[in-house]
Amino acid sequence: MMDKSIKEIHEALVSGKVTSGKLVEEALRKSHEVEDKYNAFVTILDDAEAKDVSESLVSGIPFGVKDNYSTKDVLSTGSSNTLKNYVPFYTATVVQRLMDAGAIMVNKTALDEFGMGGTGTTPHTGAVLNPWDQTRMCAGSSAGSACAVASGVYPFALGSDTGDSIRKPAAYCGIVGYKPTYGMLSRYGLFPFASSLDHCGILTRSVEDAAIVTDIMKGIDEHDMTSWDSSHIHLQEALTGNIEGKKLFYIKEICDIHNYPNASDTLKEHLNNFFKTLELLKTKGVTVEEVSIDSKLLNAIASVYVVISCAEATSNMSNLTGIIFGPRSNKTDVFEMMKEHRTLGFSPLIKRRFIIGSYVLQKENQERYFKNAQRVRRLIVDKMKELFREYDALILPVSSGPAKKLDEDKDVIDAGTNVLEEHLQIGNFGGFPSITIPNGFIETLPVGINITGNCYDDENVLNMAYTLESLMPYRGQIAKED
């Protein structure tokens, strides 16, 4: 039953075909199976209990929570050894709203340490494997959530997205990943990575399920000053399937195969698949046009992201000293305690990011690196805002193809496909609503397509994705290994 949609499960609960208790049993059984095969979880809550079924569509239904959300009395590690025994005293707002609506948390999912990674290979519990092919990654950082939803453990799981951390794992796992407009979902209780880029979001197997869950979680929160009143937005109601007259654009420099002189057959097939999907979209009365953007701006995306995210992470995580919380050293000198905690507790990837962040924030370096990155970010966002005055949304393929092999060098960026791999970060720079949906297969592995719109235009963005989804046979699909 857990491989069904939220509506289907709710109807089965209301009709008495299944009980909440049976759903919990099924989700827990599948959780252990998926953990054994793919290493998707930090904690499985074997004592999770059934809840009464109400009018709320998520009532009585299990779900997963990425382990960088605080959950009262439940281990919340951020997939880092520095918090391997940390149990919070409060629950994140979005998690609490789902539980208040009757949803049942059954596990905490693994992530790249503190969300700082795009591979799903750096959790302190080990790499998360792709449920379509165990030799491949899920992408990150919301790897465990994507793996679990794609495997049919439950219909939805929480993720977070600072650069593409919901949307790329969704593409690699053949599911839906949605990051709403910045501030629609409260970040209170989400471990901060880069506060100006961090978004809460959701992974599901259909656009409608993403709308249902987000409608429950959204809303202003007195604990998060960046949250805003979205009571006038009704995402599920907006899924009409009518998008006639909408105008979308794609970026020539990213999608033109001639810009990739050493293009692999996989990349050629991926881009060809993308253009075929655009033709499908046009059958709904949509206009899709090619737009050219200065390559200098596009090529700066990845560098801008690294500078800003590392700087903000260095500041946000300065409290991880091993003194306030986390495993404490036996050293007697306070500085030696902190040194040992941070040296032994963080992975090499995290240490590198902190070094970068500290360097660009040094007084003598701020103007050249941090402030310049902020200026270029503004140029990119202004360009997108200009285009959104003419177009309803940007549509692009997600990455350069399907999931990467686990044994590939994950620290080397291919300059030839850098922009294609990193363009989703635009959605974080501007706080734009952005959703990835499945867009077919390449060599039996799923690939995705992404739609990004202007701030506060989430209803239109989701309706466009919903309509496109209806034209393809991938809604609700469950991962199947060869």
Side-chain angles (χ1 to χ4, degrees):
M1 182 59 71
M2 287 287 87
D3 58 355
K4 306 296 184 185
S5 70
I6 291 174
K7 270 188 174 179
E8 289 171 331
I9 298 172
H10 180 71
E11 289 168 2
L13 285 167
V14 171
S15 68
K17 290 181 179 178
V18 71
T19 65
S20 178
K22 288 296 183 184
L23 295 181
V24 171
E25 288 179 14
E26 180 183 347
L28 290 173
R29 174 178 56 78
K30 286 187 174 181
S31 293
H32 285 285
E33 291 173 357
V34 168
E35 174 63 8
D36 290 343
K37 293 178 70 175
Y38 309 122
N39 202 37
F41 308 113
V42 176
T43 303
I44 298 175
L45 302 173
D46 288 311
D47 59 351
E49 296 180 352
K51 288 188 178 180
D52 292 336
V53 179
S54 66
E55 292 183 358
S56 170
L57 290 176
V58 299
S59 61
I61 298 178
F63 73 107
V65 177
K66 188 175 178 179
D67 206 39
N68 59 344
Y69 285 87
S70 293
T71 46
K72 183 179 179 181
D73 298 330
V74 177
L75 189 67
S76 303
T77 70
S79 280
S80 174
N81 279 319
T82 59
L83 294 180
K84 63 183 179 181
N85 298 318
Y86 175 60
V87 178
F89 59 88
Y90 74 104
T91 295
T93 296
V94 291
V95 178
Q96 190 62 57
R97 286 177 176 171
L98 287 171
M99 294 196 297
D100 289 346
I104 305 160
M105 180 175 64
V106 294
N107 54 47
K108 301 292 294 291
T109 64
L111 60 144
D112 280 305
E113 187 174 4
F114 287 123
M116 294 190 212
T119 62
T121 61
T122 65
H124 72 306
T125 51
V128 181
L129 311 183
N130 193 301
W132 292 90
D133 180 347
Q134 293 186 49
T135 69
R136 297 177 183 267
M137 64 180 67
C138 289
S141 62
S142 305
S145 289
C147 176
V149 171
S151 300
V153 175
Y154 29 54
F156 66 95
L158 291 184
S160 63
D161 192 310
T162 305
D164 58 23
S165 291
I166 287 173
R167 294 160 292 158
K168 189 174 280 187
Y172 280 7
C173 291
I175 59 173
V176 172
Y178 169 46
K179 176 194 77 62
T181 296
Y182 185 81
M184 178 184 278
L185 300 182
S186 168
R187 289 180 292 118
Y188 179 69
L190 175 72
F191 296 179
F193 166 9
S195 300
S196 74
L197 304 170
D198 291 344
H199 294 65
C200 297
I202 192 73
L203 294 113
T204 65
R205 291 189 298 272
S206 73
V207 175
E208 183 174 38
D209 280 358
I212 289 170
V213 178
T214 305
D215 274 336
I216 294 169
M217 295 191 295
K218 70 181 180 64
I220 198 164
D221 178 13
E222 64 179 8
H223 298 299
D224 181 358
M225 67 180 184
T226 65
S227 66
W228 46 276
D229 184 5
S230 55
S231 58
H232 61 291
I233 293 176
H234 306 285
L235 298 173
Q236 187 186 5
E237 290 181 14
L239 303 180
T240 64
N242 180 14
I243 56 173
E244 187 173 358
K246 299 294 181 184
K247 288 182 66 178
L248 284 82
F249 72 97
Y250 63 90
I251 299 172
K252 171 181 171 60
E253 286 72 16
I254 293 177
C255 299
D256 188 345
I257 192 64
H258 297 101
N259 289 331
Y260 305 97
N262 300 314
S264 65
D265 290 341
T266 296
L267 177 57
K268 293 175 183 176
E269 185 178 353
H270 188 37
L271 290 176
N272 186 52
N273 190 42
F274 169 72
F275 284 109
K276 285 181 179 178
T277 300
L278 296 189
E279 293 304 312
L280 272 181
L281 198 54
K282 292 175 184 177
T283 65
K284 286 292 185 177
V286 174
T287 300
V288 185
E289 295 180 352
E290 180 181 85
V291 167
S292 185
I293 295 180
D294 188 343
S295 292
K296 290 181 180 179
L297 272 186
L298 296 174
N299 289 329
I301 291 171
S303 298
V304 167
Y305 174 78
V306 168
V307 170
I308 293 175
S309 65
C310 289
E312 293 187 12
T314 300
S315 176
N316 276 327
M317 296 186 186
S318 60
N319 65 338
L320 297 176
T321 61
I323 296 173
I324 307 171
F325 42 70
R328 181 173 290 196
S329 165
N330 293 322
K331 302 285 187 181
T332 55
D333 180 82
V334 65
F335 294 105
E336 288 299 319
M337 289 174 67
M338 289 190 288
K339 180 179 179 180
E340 182 174 287
H341 176 77
R342 294 175 74 87
T343 300
L344 299 178
F346 292 125
S347 68
L349 173 65
I350 299 295
K351 293 174 188 174
R352 287 201 298 272
R353 294 201 178 208
F354 286 165
I355 290 171
I356 293 170
S358 298
Y359 182 78
V360 302
L361 287 176
Q362 287 178 347
K363 185 177 180 180
E364 61 269 29
N365 297 326
Q366 279 190 26
E367 184 68 31
R368 181 179 182 183
Y369 297 111
F370 185 66
K371 292 182 180 179
N372 265 341
Q374 296 283 27
R375 295 182 185 110
V376 177
R377 174 184 182 172
R378 173 47 55 193
L379 292 174
I380 294 168
V381 172
D382 284 349
K383 181 61 180 179
M384 293 301 298
K385 289 281 189 181
E386 174 191 325
L387 288 165
F388 286 143
R389 285 195 286 271
E390 181 179 354
Y391 297 95
D392 292 286
L394 164 67
I395 187 166
L396 289 171
V398 177
S399 76
S400 57
K404 307 295 190 295
K405 286 275 191 180
L406 286 164
D407 57 5
E408 290 178 351
D409 191 337
K410 296 174 281 295
D411 291 328
V412 175
I413 296 177
D414 181 352
T417 57
N418 181 28
V419 180
L420 184 52
E421 290 289 348
E422 306 297 335
H423 67 79
L424 292 180
Q425 293 162 3
I426 293 172
N428 302 84
F429 290 170
F432 303 124
S434 185
I435 186 168
T436 288
I437 66 172
N439 189 40
F441 293 84
I442 294 177
E443 297 177 356
T444 73
L445 295 168
V447 292
I449 193 167
N450 179 264
I451 297 175
T452 297
N454 204 0
C455 290
Y456 313 114
D457 201 24
D458 294 70
E459 289 182 339
N460 277 326
V461 169
L462 260 65
N463 191 36
M464 286 183 276
Y466 174 77
T467 306
L468 179 56
E469 178 189 63
S470 71
L471 300 174
M472 300 186 287
Y474 312 120
R475 177 165 45 195
Q477 66 185 3
I478 301 294
K480 299 177 179 65
E481 287 188 85
D482 278 348

